[in-house]
Amino acid sequence: MKVRGIAHRGYPVKYRENTLPSFQAACDLSYTHLELDVHLSKDGVPMVMHDASLRRMTGAPGQFKDYTAEELRALRIGGTEVIPTLEESLLLLKDKLIVSIEMKQTGDLYPGLEEAVVDVVRKTGMVDQVYVISFDHFSVARLRELDKEIDVGLVFSGSMPYVFPFMQEIRGKYLAVKLPFLTEKYAEMIADHGLELIAWPVDTEEEMKLIKDQYPQALICTNELERWKAFVQQHMQ
């Protein structure tokens, strides 16, 4: 059985987030979608990690953008895991699930990030198996200018009723809304505009029950992969 849901950074509760073992775990649990985060190395290679700083995950000083891909690959997450490139991550996940690529662009922090992401998606033959999102909506608009086929979406922490004309302009498909800001009215507006609602994060039993009762159409994003899988099997089949 396929589990309709987005594995957030793979399976971070049991594995190091945004690593290949974490991604493989999501595949093994039969998830339909997986989210990963992408930064750009000093020499222009898109690589997978959540933070712009290297400190939390590797203990190394400084920012992601100040290291070359080779230097980043020499670091270790949790002492053991290599920082994966976007390319090797997509190759691992190809034909297994849909990948949500979150570009960690912040203004002009990573010149060329959008071009690099498009290049890798096309090189790996994953155009029909990914969608690209960002908190930086200018970044998503730039990617849409570069590529007319890759699905795109927006992610934000609030609820933005004025976002729909922009979504139409960029031909966006996904709106990812932080769960506390989600209301039935806003969910109806999203549906009325033909968009796919993503609710995040959905980790607790209480949050899962809320989705079942009020937003069963939502595609949820979770860190608790086995908990959500068990909940779906028990309550939503």
Side-chain angles (χ1 to χ4, degrees):
M1 155 198 153
K2 282 289 186 180
V3 180
R4 185 172 182 267
I6 305 171
H8 188 227
R9 309 178 199 170
Y11 192 1
V13 171
K14 288 198 171 181
Y15 301 87
R16 302 291 182 180
E17 66 180 49
N18 276 321
T19 62
L20 297 184
S22 190
F23 298 159
Q24 184 61 54
C27 296
D28 294 342
L29 287 167
S30 299
Y31 267 69
T32 56
H33 296 68
L34 179 143
E35 184 268 351
L36 53 78
D37 305 285
V38 176
H39 297 263
L40 200 64
S41 68
K42 185 177 181 179
D43 51 345
V45 178
M47 300 181 70
V48 179
M49 183 177 282
H50 179 268
D51 300 357
S53 167
L54 295 168
R55 179 72 66 184
R56 178 174 69 93
M57 296 305 296
T58 71
Q63 301 294 302
F64 204 99
K65 67 182 180 66
D66 297 326
Y67 287 70
T68 67
E70 183 178 359
E71 291 168 338
L72 289 165
R73 296 283 287 179
L75 302 176
R76 291 295 178 268
I77 299 170
T80 58
E81 298 299 331
V82 176
I83 300 172
T85 64
L86 176 60
E87 181 175 351
E88 66 183 333
S89 300
L90 292 185
L91 289 175
L92 172 70
L93 300 169
K94 188 173 183 178
D95 299 326
K96 297 176 182 175
L97 39 66
I98 302 297
V99 182
S100 170
I101 301 172
E102 182 180 335
M103 297 186 296
K104 304 304 286 188
Q105 184 68 282
T106 309
D108 296 321
L109 181 65
Y110 296 116
L113 174 61
E114 297 81 13
E115 292 89 342
V117 168
V118 168
D119 287 347
V120 171
V121 170
R122 291 207 161 274
K123 179 181 178 181
T124 55
M126 290 281 283
V127 171
D128 296 328
Q129 297 173 53
V130 306
Y131 62 92
V132 182
I133 63 174
S134 183
F135 279 97
D136 188 322
H137 299 173
F138 287 100
S139 181
V140 177
R142 284 196 294 271
L143 186 134
R144 172 53 77 228
E145 290 175 1
L146 293 166
D147 191 284
K148 305 303 181 185
E149 294 183 293
I150 298 172
D151 283 334
V152 298
L154 306 178
V155 57
F156 40 82
S157 294
S159 54
M160 300 183 180
Y162 48 82
V163 77
F164 299 110
F166 180 63
M167 285 292 288
Q168 184 175 16
E169 179 183 333
I170 64 171
R171 292 188 296 109
K173 182 176 179 180
Y174 299 90
L175 272 184
V177 183
K178 195 167 186 178
L179 187 59
F181 291 94
L182 187 58
T183 64
E184 292 189 43
K185 180 179 179 180
Y186 195 42
E188 289 175 6
M189 292 175 69
I190 292 171
D192 288 345
H193 284 85
L195 303 173
E196 179 123 27
L197 165 63
I198 298 172
W200 65 276
V202 178
D203 289 334
T204 67
E205 288 281 343
E206 181 181 5
E207 290 162 346
M208 293 173 186
K209 290 175 182 175
L210 176 66
I211 292 296
K212 178 180 74 71
D213 294 340
Q214 295 187 33
Y215 311 108
Q217 77 278 23
L219 178 61
I220 68 96
C221 186
T222 185
N223 298 290
E224 294 284 354
L225 273 61
E226 289 176 271
R227 181 179 296 165
W228 174 247
K229 181 173 182 175
F231 186 88
V232 169
Q233 291 173 331
Q234 184 175 357
H235 300 287
M236 300 181 71
Q237 285 187 319

